[in-house]
Amino acid sequence: MILSRYERMIARRYLLPGKGEAFILVVAAFSLGAVMLGVFALVVVMSVMNGFRAELFDKIVGLNGHAVVQGFGGQLPDWRNIVTIARATPGVTSATPLIEQPLMASFNGRVEGVLLRGMQVKDIRDNPTINTNVVMGSLASITPGSGRIAIGSGLADALGAQVGSQVSLIIPQGQTTPFGTMPRIVSYTVGAIFKIGVYDYDKAYVMIPMEDAQTALLMGDSVGMVEIQTNNPDNVGPILAPLAEKVGDRAVISDWRQLNAQLFEALAVERVVMFCVLSLIILVAAFNIASSLIMLVRAKTRDIAILRTMGATRGGMMRIFMTVGTTIGVLGIVLGLILAFIALYFRQRVVDFVQVISGQNLWDPSIRFLAELPSKTNPVEVIAIVLISLLLTFLATLYPSFKAASTDPVQVLRYE
């Protein structure tokens, strides 16, 4: 929209109404503030929800893979063959054998439910989700036959255990007696403590060499499952289809979407709902811009008539008022983006400050899975928010601009 010199001058003057028109200025300021808050809320909420999903996905997939091959009956005796077939499948980047078994752990009279995970030592040390989050001890001390394990920080806090503590695992597989199967109690030394950042994992996981897990659970040379990583988690189904055909007679494959379907579907629905609800703020701001422009047109009716008699065209008048309304919207969008990026940068400090002021725990990891408030800004979404805001602002200027352009100078100046 190209404006002539006099149109730009008049638009600048109308952006700051004169004396006696303070109410119009107040309404315009509220309109700008509404656009700013709408853009701010949309960018912050969508970034936090994107960050929550991405962080949760990375943590879950980092430990559980994109898919798992589970044997019928809970065991895979020929797991080496399955690992070889999986690694030869196009699109598969890794195949890791592992054992998972829910057990009970005790230390100094405290008892907690745990999830024992047996992995090959190389896989434990090479897993970035684990090796980059060790807070105490060292994974180098976790070797087969050493009697050492790695536990989550939440579990360590619940048990009161530290590196070097002797933690006992209560294993239901034991000696059969006339009174039933007697559970066994096996003691292990804590060699490392890790903090992944997902509350459920930090509170329950116990990492142990696979050989020690096989011995403790009386599994012989079997494993519980094979964890699969692919080069495209969103295309995991087609990638693993050939593998499913080859192992379908002895195992079943479950991918991350099936294992966490309810969680990620709920997040997807919530993102759409929040976007639609928060977009209403910008829609209300657009109505405010329309209202302020209508009042400005009524207040400037005499000026419009004089301009028309001096040769101003209908198109020129439309451009002037469309520029005024669009400028308010653009300023609101820019301020909203600046405020949003500042809030996202200091998001955890803001949460901590509000918690101190209110005395409430706003981010309880036991409820929200993650230890800290995440954030991941999607440039495409930010551009979409900006375009939607600009579109609504532009549409809000059409009716007032048309009314200004259709002003009849003869009727207005008849009694002047």
Side-chain angles (χ1 to χ4, degrees):
M1 186 166 54
I2 302 176
L3 277 71
S4 63
R5 184 177 179 182
Y6 89 90
E7 291 171 352
R8 289 196 298 270
M9 180 191 68
I10 296 173
R12 282 196 300 268
R13 295 191 62 179
Y14 283 0
L15 279 170
L16 296 173
K19 295 182 179 179
E21 299 169 351
F23 183 71
I24 299 175
L25 182 61
V26 171
V27 174
F30 275 114
S31 302
L32 186 148
V35 174
M36 178 186 70
L37 290 178
V39 172
F40 164 78
L42 272 172
V43 173
V44 169
V45 170
M46 298 306 294
S47 296
V48 168
M49 296 193 70
N50 287 337
F52 188 85
R53 183 187 184 279
E55 191 78 8
L56 198 60
F57 178 81
D58 290 342
K59 301 295 186 183
I60 291 175
V61 169
L63 280 180
N64 299 327
H66 297 157
V68 292
V69 182
Q70 294 177 307
F72 299 132
Q75 293 191 17
L76 285 173
D78 59 339
W79 58 271
R80 289 183 177 84
N81 182 34
I82 293 177
V83 168
T84 301
I85 297 174
R87 289 174 178 171
T89 302
V92 174
T93 57
S94 69
T96 306
L98 56 87
I99 298 170
E100 277 193 355
Q101 179 68 41
L103 300 174
M104 300 295 291
S106 66
F107 177 74
N108 282 348
R110 301 181 183 180
V111 180
E112 293 289 335
V114 301
L115 186 63
L116 182 70
R117 169 170 280 216
M119 301 174 64
Q120 293 178 328
V121 173
K122 180 179 182 300
D123 295 329
I124 295 176
R125 296 175 182 174
D126 292 345
N127 191 314
T129 305
I130 301 173
N131 61 32
T132 60
N133 292 295
V134 175
V135 294
M136 293 182 63
S138 172
L139 294 178
S141 64
I142 314 297
T143 57
S146 65
R148 291 182 176 271
I149 58 176
I151 66 175
S153 58
L155 178 60
D157 293 339
L159 293 174
Q162 299 178 355
V163 172
S165 299
Q166 292 286 328
V167 175
S168 298
L169 296 182
I170 303 171
I171 302 173
Q173 293 89 343
Q175 185 178 4
T176 302
T177 69
F179 301 99
T181 301
M182 300 298 293
R184 294 176 296 118
I185 299 178
V186 182
S187 295
Y188 294 94
T189 302
V190 177
I193 297 176
F194 55 85
K195 185 177 182 180
I196 297 173
V198 178
Y199 177 82
D200 288 352
Y201 293 167
D202 293 334
K203 185 70 164 42
Y205 266 89
V206 174
M207 300 292 178
I208 186 173
M210 190 172 69
E211 294 85 352
D212 293 350
Q214 289 172 331
T215 301
L217 299 175
L218 307 178
M219 295 181 64
D221 191 42
S222 298
V223 301
M225 64 187 73
V226 174
E227 176 187 287
I228 305 293
Q229 296 275 5
T230 67
N231 56 13
N232 185 358
D234 293 325
N235 199 32
V236 65
I239 290 175
L240 297 182
L243 178 62
E245 295 178 359
K246 297 178 182 178
V247 302
D249 58 336
R250 46 189 159 161
V252 61
I253 299 179
S254 302
D255 61 45
W256 66 270
R257 293 171 299 187
Q258 296 168 334
L259 297 173
N260 307 280
Q262 294 180 339
L263 175 61
F264 286 103
E265 286 180 6
L267 289 175
V269 172
E270 189 174 2
R271 286 177 70 250
V272 175
V273 172
M274 291 300 293
F275 185 88
C276 294
V277 171
L278 294 176
S279 295
L280 295 178
I281 301 177
I282 300 178
L283 183 61
V284 172
F287 282 119
N288 285 339
I289 291 175
S291 300
S292 63
L293 286 179
I294 290 173
M295 287 187 291
L296 182 62
V297 170
R298 292 183 63 87
K300 300 295 184 180
T301 300
R302 185 171 177 273
D303 294 354
I304 295 171
I306 294 174
L307 288 171
R308 288 295 310 281
T309 58
M310 294 175 64
T313 63
R314 290 177 179 266
M317 300 311 302
M318 285 196 68
R319 287 192 294 271
I320 289 172
F321 285 94
M322 289 172 66
T323 300
V324 172
T326 304
T327 301
I328 294 174
V330 170
L331 289 175
I333 292 171
V334 172
L335 293 176
L337 290 176
I338 294 173
L339 189 62
F341 292 138
I342 293 174
L344 289 173
Y345 183 80
F346 295 104
R347 62 188 182 281
Q348 192 58 44
R349 298 180 187 178
V350 172
V351 172
D352 295 339
F353 176 75
V354 175
Q355 288 182 157
V356 171
I357 297 299
S358 64
Q360 300 294 323
N361 188 1
L362 301 179
W363 193 261
D364 187 355
S366 63
I367 298 175
R368 308 188 188 278
F369 297 102
L370 301 179
E372 293 185 351
L373 180 66
S375 171
K376 183 179 180 181
T377 303
N378 186 342
V380 176
E381 287 186 349
V382 173
I383 293 174
I385 291 170
V386 171
L387 292 178
I388 290 173
S389 303
L390 286 174
L391 177 62
L392 292 176
T393 300
F394 175 76
L395 293 177
T397 65
L398 294 180
Y399 177 73
S401 300
F402 176 77
K403 292 294 292 183
S406 60
T407 300
D408 187 354
V410 176
Q411 295 293 331
V412 173
L413 300 176
R414 176 176 294 177
Y415 302 104
E416 292 294 335

